[in-house]
Amino acid sequence: MYVLGRDGPEPDGDDASNPGRDLGDASDRDSDCGDASDRDSDCGDAIDRDGDLPSHTARIGSFLARDGSAGAPVGVDLDRPHAGVVFGKRGTGKSYTLGVLAEELAAADGVAPVVVDPMGVFGGLEAAGGQVVDPAVRPGSIPPSTWPDLLGLDPESGPGSLVWRVVADGVDGGASPSLAALRDAVAAADAPAETRRAAANHLRLAASWGIFDADAPPVASLAADGDPAVLDLAGVPDAAAAAAVRAVARGLYDARIDGRLRRLPWLLVDEAHAFFDGVAEPALRTLLTRGRAPGVSLVCATQRPAALPSVAVSQSDLLVSHRLTAARDVDRLAEAEATYLAGDLAARLPEGVGEALVVDDATETAHTVRIRERRTPHGGESPRASRPSDAE
């Protein structure tokens, strides 16, 4: 089996021969490992001959030959932390691919997938032992300086600075205040009545989101047993969803830094572009730039690559791209064209649903693959007028 993201021997010491740079230049790598008739000679031990999956490896699909046939199996390294992006216009398989990766993570030892689900399409992972959880965030998990922005307040205004101050006082010493306690602190503050009233009203707005709970379980509990945890954000207001993603991303990072989480967590974020323009962005950037050291992986999936910051591409060692057509999105893909790749990546994008171009920084190669079929139900299929739902 060819393993993306692994440049060296298998984690158990058995060298399973990642073909890496032996695949030739970027113009003919697809045929070298894709054609089922000659892949044994061209790819050496890249074939999973005995059918056993290498240790800490996610099988995501197979090489796709130019004649459309399936070639050698393709896996993703799970032994080390990674940063990755999954691109694709609507309907090409972006969320499906993220679900395949979550299934593989659920079956592997020592790792734990946490899926951010803004559209409510990953509930099928319950069939893999996963759980769908409603967002529950401790108010203290959002830094005091971030609260004004979260509530749409100017931090230099009276209400904004008051909210900042009462949150900072509330979390002093490691306390976990409730929103009710914060509103009481606002009411007792030495500030003009209109300032206290505005601050209290914005805290009531935050309470209406239904995600803040001073007694919420620690974020590390989402990744404690290795089963998929799906954070259901469907229907959650944008600001509240961003707060939840911020708390989860930072919570996983801190739990690994502090030694409170033994497993290596993988945070899989669907529709990631929605979270890089708000309060969640600093935590996601931390995972992209510093997550590898404590062992936290981040995979961002989006149908709008142009809306992601450049750092999401530049810091990713794995890039999976389904079909793209918008010029701005193709331009963002072009940022991944490293010096070791010959030719135009955009020109090599496959057209079929479930087919993807994969750029592997560890082995400095690019390949076309067909993503394997899901083992759990996929909730991302678009409704059809020809198939009315039972509810109708």
Side-chain angles (χ1 to χ4, degrees):
M1 172 181 283
Y2 179 76
V3 183
L4 302 165
R6 182 174 297 160
D7 187 14
E10 295 298 312
D12 60 4
D14 179 23
D15 188 354
S17 259
N18 185 329
R21 299 172 183 81
D22 294 334
L23 292 179
D25 63 37
S27 64
D28 63 9
R29 281 172 188 141
D30 294 341
S31 59
D32 285 347
C33 280
D35 192 334
S37 64
D38 63 5
R39 62 181 184 259
D40 288 343
S41 59
D42 287 340
C43 290
D45 291 334
I47 307 304
D48 188 18
R49 292 186 177 89
D50 60 5
D52 293 332
L53 196 65
S55 174
H56 291 92
T57 301
R59 187 186 187 280
I60 63 166
S62 304
F63 285 107
L64 182 66
R66 287 172 178 160
D67 64 1
S69 63
V74 177
V76 171
D77 172 63
L78 302 183
D79 190 45
R80 301 175 182 84
H82 296 278
V85 290
V86 181
F87 296 156
K89 65 182 296 184
R90 187 174 63 179
T92 58
K94 162 189 61 69
S95 298
Y96 194 97
T97 297
L98 208 63
V100 168
L101 181 57
E103 289 178 348
E104 295 291 328
L105 286 161
D109 295 329
V111 295
V114 178
V115 183
V116 173
D117 186 7
M119 305 299 291
V121 300
F122 290 94
L125 289 171
E126 288 181 317
Q131 59 174 333
V132 177
V133 298
D134 294 326
V137 175
R138 296 182 182 183
S141 65
I142 306 299
S145 61
T146 301
W147 270 93
D149 187 30
L150 175 64
L151 299 179
L153 293 170
D154 181 350
E156 296 184 0
S157 69
S161 61
L162 177 57
V163 169
W164 184 339
R165 186 169 75 249
V166 299
V167 174
D169 291 342
V171 300
D172 188 30
S176 179
S178 66
L179 284 184
L182 294 178
R183 289 199 303 271
D184 289 344
V186 165
D190 182 13
E194 61 271 19
T195 297
R196 288 185 277 115
R197 184 166 53 250
N201 285 340
H202 281 81
L203 287 174
R204 289 191 184 93
L205 172 64
S208 72
W209 296 339
I211 71 164
F212 287 107
D213 181 358
D215 298 319
V219 169
S221 65
L222 295 174
D225 60 8
D227 293 328
V230 178
L231 189 66
D232 184 7
L233 297 179
V236 176
D238 291 346
V245 173
R246 166 98 182 219
V248 170
R250 187 70 203 196
L252 293 175
Y253 180 85
D254 290 342
R256 283 292 301 174
I257 290 288
D258 298 341
R260 290 179 282 114
L261 183 58
R262 295 186 61 186
R263 293 178 179 272
L264 300 188
W266 284 64
L267 182 61
L268 313 181
V269 184
D270 200 16
E271 305 298 338
H273 59 272
F275 303 108
F276 274 97
D277 185 23
V279 300
E281 181 172 8
L284 294 176
R285 282 183 177 267
T286 295
L287 296 191
L288 285 170
T289 57
R290 305 205 302 270
R292 191 167 303 176
V296 185
S297 297
L298 174 66
V299 180
C300 297
T302 180
Q303 57 181 299
R304 295 176 52 199
L308 289 184
S310 295
V311 68
V313 176
S314 64
Q315 294 295 324
S316 293
D317 58 316
L318 292 173
L319 184 151
V320 179
S321 183
H322 297 277
R323 181 162 174 74
L324 297 171
T325 54
R328 292 181 61 203
D329 294 334
V330 173
D331 288 343
R332 181 50 47 90
L333 175 66
E335 295 179 11
E337 292 183 4
T339 56
Y340 54 77
L341 295 176
D344 182 5
L345 281 182
R348 300 180 61 197
L349 285 176
E351 297 187 0
V353 175
E355 300 172 356
L357 178 69
V358 177
V359 179
D360 178 16
D361 201 49
T363 57
E364 300 185 352
T365 55
H367 316 277
T368 305
V369 302
R370 175 178 290 139
I371 303 300
R372 69 158 176 82
E373 292 187 6
R374 288 273 299 270
R375 294 189 292 266
T376 58
H378 174 56
E381 185 178 9
S382 299
R384 298 187 183 183
S386 60
R387 296 203 302 258
S389 67
D390 295 338
E392 296 174 339

